[in-house]
Amino acid sequence: MAKLIENHVCMPVTERGRGILIAGDAKTNSIIYCNGRSVIIRSLDNPMEAFVYGEHAYPTSVARFSPNGEWVASGDTSGLVRIWGRNGDHSLKFENRALSGRIDDLEWSSDGQRIVVCGDSKGKSLVRAFMWDSGTNVGEFDGHSRHVLSCSFKPTRPFRIATCGEDFLVNFYEGPPFRFKMSHREHSNFVNCVRFSPDGSKFITVGSDRKGALFDGKTGEKIGELSKDGGHTGSIYAASWCPDSKQVLTVSADKSAKIWEINETGNGTVKRTLTFGSQGGPDDMLVGCLWLNDYLITVSLGGMISLLSASDPDKPPKPISGHIKSITAITFSRHGGQSEVYSSSYDGVIVRWILGTGYAGRVERKDSTQIKCLATVEGELVACGFDNKVRRIPLLSEEHKDSEPIDVGAQLKDLDVSVGCPDLAFVSTDAGIIIIRGSKIVSTTDVGYAVTAAAVSPDGTEAVVGGQDGKLHVYSIKGDTLMEESVLERHRGPINAVRYSPDGSMFASGDLNREAAVWDRITREVNLKNMLYHTARINCLAWSPDSTKVATGSLDNCILVYEVGKPASSRITIKGAHLGGVHGLVFSDQNTVVSAGEDACVRVWKLP
């Protein structure tokens, strides 16, 4: 059985103009957040130590640890709350349709018995509190007329609940059972976040009006404000209290985080301003934060998590990043003694990973066009995008500046490069086949059928082109001219992936009808038959460096690894490799497979 040895998980999903929740467990220095249908738990002490929970049927929106750290409550856009075990087999304890729409915030009571949720709901209450193990309501929550963005449970007795939302209101409830006590209109725009202090003496609200207000935790009366002197100049999206309840961390669209000193009267003054990133674009806006033990954690709109030390805030922040959107392609490179993987996602971001180390930065480009295919050859990254252009990006320079893009004039389908002829790029489009040498198109061939996939041999003398008709067309390459040598018919569905083995003796193909095959390059005969074990279409395939193994990735979330010369039935199966499907595969060595998928994660698997 293959073993997962590295798990480079996705980053929290962000949305412009809206804050996000990132929660933590102080006992283990772990954080929890959401992306798509996944809930991600990762250690701050070792960010590569991560777990992904993928049992929600709808996109998740919020998750929190229980006070004892043993359970997780996670909510999704359908209004469902699932309560599941953090450890062991992560078994489901209870689920409850808490709201009829998206859940935006959720919090446990300090005794671990109750949960309050808020969000959007069609014709019903926008806030609900219930017993976590039975779903029994513990109050009525009137007073809001629009989407409720945040809620907070007073951590000390007597219990109280505070809520805020798009109706500019801050509401206060006493209980249990909880009843409406009072409402405040201290804000002139959306109120994005409300949080009780750890000692329960106060709670704070922050909003899109750049204002912060403080209230008495027991009575709900307003007691103070955050000072405008040195305050935020943009919408404030989130706030988090220091463990001693004397300071508050806030983040804003002005791309800064601020630490506020809260005095006994309930007013806040700026103690320190923290800035991050290049400050060059909207991706540097800060939309989430958490104060967890000595960690100050901020989340940017671009998905970057920055870790600072509360005891030494002058120390440079430690970045944790990755992809937010699904990954479209990956490729492998080795130089300087390092094994590197480059992955591109649906939003056009290209991330560099060092195996054994993790996130190593983004490849800066002139534009953020979505990438369809990636390949590496002799220190260059060759990429083709949905703008119909091919680019060569140098990997050995610090700036990774693109070369002048090559416009092929049609929608790109596939791209492959020749290891033996590094300047040769073989590109397939809707219209046919294009050969690029260096930065110039040297030939364009209209093949007369719908092209779906293509590959070029390592020596650059042959190519295989797959069609919508399920046929494989083999071409010889003489100079810059293509000549069709043979047509291979075996597949019963459109070809979706084709690649030559590194030694050039074979090629493998996979189709939308879930079948793969390995072909002998000389005889054109099938070397490995009956590769029909996926339950959905094959999205990608890859060869091991020694040409003895071929791996296929599918929409069925699985990876299959076959060994040439052995029956297909002796395959290695990696189940549930990526939620939503596997989109990219590469081998880093003979027994290590790197995969990427719809869940925006990159994973490294050690084969037995």
Side-chain angles (χ1 to χ4, degrees), residues 27 65-71 107-116 129-133 138 153-161 175-176 178 198:
K27 297 176 183 177
F65 296 111
S66 64
N68 63 11
E70 294 180 5
W71 302 95
E107 196 164 276
W108 296 75
S109 61
S110 57
D111 61 3
Q113 298 298 309
R114 303 167 183 85
I115 290 175
V116 60
F130 56 90
M131 303 300 292
W132 81 285
D133 54 355
V138 288
F153 220 124
K154 183 171 175 281
T156 56
R157 293 182 184 274
F159 287 147
R160 303 286 188 263
I161 287 175
F178 292 96

Side-chain angles (χ1 to χ4, degrees), residues 330 341 355 584-588 592-596 602-605:
I330 61 172
V341 169
L355 299 189
L585 285 174
V586 290
F587 276 81
S588 62
T592 308
V593 177
V594 185
S595 64
V602 174
R603 297 193 170 100
V604 184
W605 309 88

Side-chain angles (χ1 to χ4, degrees), residues 61 189 422 571:
S61 50
N189 207 325
R571 71 202 178 280

Side-chain angles (χ1 to χ4, degrees), residues 414 452-453 493-498 510-512 537-540:
D414 203 355
T452 52
I495 308 299
N496 206 34
V498 59
D511 65 32
L512 296 185
R537 74 180 189 216
I538 294 173
N539 289 329
C540 53

Side-chain angles (χ1 to χ4, degrees), residues 108-402:
W108 296 75
S109 61
S110 57
D111 61 3
Q113 298 298 309
R114 303 167 183 85
I115 290 175
V116 60
V117 300
C118 68
D120 204 4
S121 203
K122 299 164 186 170
K124 296 183 180 180
S125 175
L126 302 167
V127 183
R128 187 178 169 205
F130 56 90
M131 303 300 292
W132 81 285
D133 54 355
S134 66
T136 305
N137 287 345
V138 288
E140 297 292 332
F141 294 86
D142 303 319
H144 282 291
S145 59
R146 295 182 64 184
H147 200 147
V148 180
L149 299 175
S150 186
C151 58
S152 189
F153 220 124
K154 183 171 175 281
T156 56
R157 293 182 184 274
F159 287 147
R160 303 286 188 263
I161 287 175
T163 60
C164 62
E166 292 184 356
D167 53 9
F168 308 173
L169 295 179
V170 177
N171 286 353
F172 188 74
Y173 304 86
E174 292 182 346
F178 292 96
R179 294 289 184 269
F180 175 82
K181 175 67 182 297
M182 66 177 65
S183 184
H184 297 279
R185 190 180 284 272
E186 296 295 329
H187 293 271
S188 58
N189 207 325
F190 291 177
V191 192
N192 296 315
C193 184
V194 57
R195 292 291 177 260
F196 275 96
S197 61
D199 65 6
S201 64
K202 307 175 185 69
F203 67 92
I204 187 172
T205 60
V206 293
S208 295
D209 56 0
R210 300 172 288 178
K211 182 178 179 181
L214 288 114
F215 303 84
D216 184 274
K218 185 177 180 180
T219 66
E221 298 290 345
K222 183 184 175 184
I223 56 175
E225 293 185 355
L226 298 181
S227 172
K228 294 181 180 179
D229 186 17
H232 287 292
T233 58
S235 298
I236 307 175
Y237 290 124
S240 182
W241 286 88
C242 171
D244 66 6
S245 302
K246 295 179 180 179
Q247 299 177 86
V248 169
L249 174 68
T250 59
V251 291
S252 167
D254 65 10
K255 306 173 187 176
S256 73
K258 293 182 184 291
I259 299 174
W260 302 80
E261 194 82 49
I262 309 299
N263 61 28
E264 293 299 323
T265 62
N267 288 295
T269 56
V270 176
K271 182 180 179 182
R272 182 180 289 269
T273 298
L274 309 166
T275 56
F276 307 86
S278 62
Q279 308 297 302
D283 277 358
D284 290 324
M285 293 180 182
L286 300 180
V287 294
C289 67
L290 177 66
W291 195 320
L292 186 68
N293 295 330
D294 191 49
Y295 284 106
L296 298 176
I297 306 155
T298 65
V299 185
S300 73
L301 183 64
M304 176 77 75
I305 293 178
S306 296
L307 306 180
L308 291 100
S309 169
S311 58
D312 186 12
D314 292 324
K315 188 177 179 180
K318 178 182 178 181
I320 302 174
S321 194
H323 291 289
I324 296 178
K325 303 290 186 180
S326 62
I327 296 174
T328 56
I330 61 172
T331 187
F332 176 76
S333 175
R334 190 191 305 278
H335 63 262
Q338 290 186 153
S339 296
E340 299 179 347
V341 169
Y342 292 85
S343 56
S344 64
S345 54
Y346 193 78
D347 51 4
V349 172
I350 301 177
V351 173
R352 172 175 170 250
W353 310 90
I354 298 176
L355 299 189
T357 301
Y359 174 78
R362 293 184 177 183
V363 176
E364 298 298 330
R365 300 190 294 135
K366 295 175 184 176
D367 59 58
S368 58
T369 306
Q370 182 187 340
I371 301 296
K372 180 171 177 60
C373 302
L374 283 178
T376 48
V377 59
E378 287 198 352
E380 280 189 325
L381 188 65
V382 185
C384 65
F386 283 86
D387 59 354
N388 304 341
K389 294 177 181 178
V390 176
R391 294 172 172 81
R392 288 182 178 264
I393 307 168
L395 299 177
L396 302 180
S397 68
E398 289 294 325
E399 297 183 356
H400 303 303
K401 285 190 176 178
D402 303 25

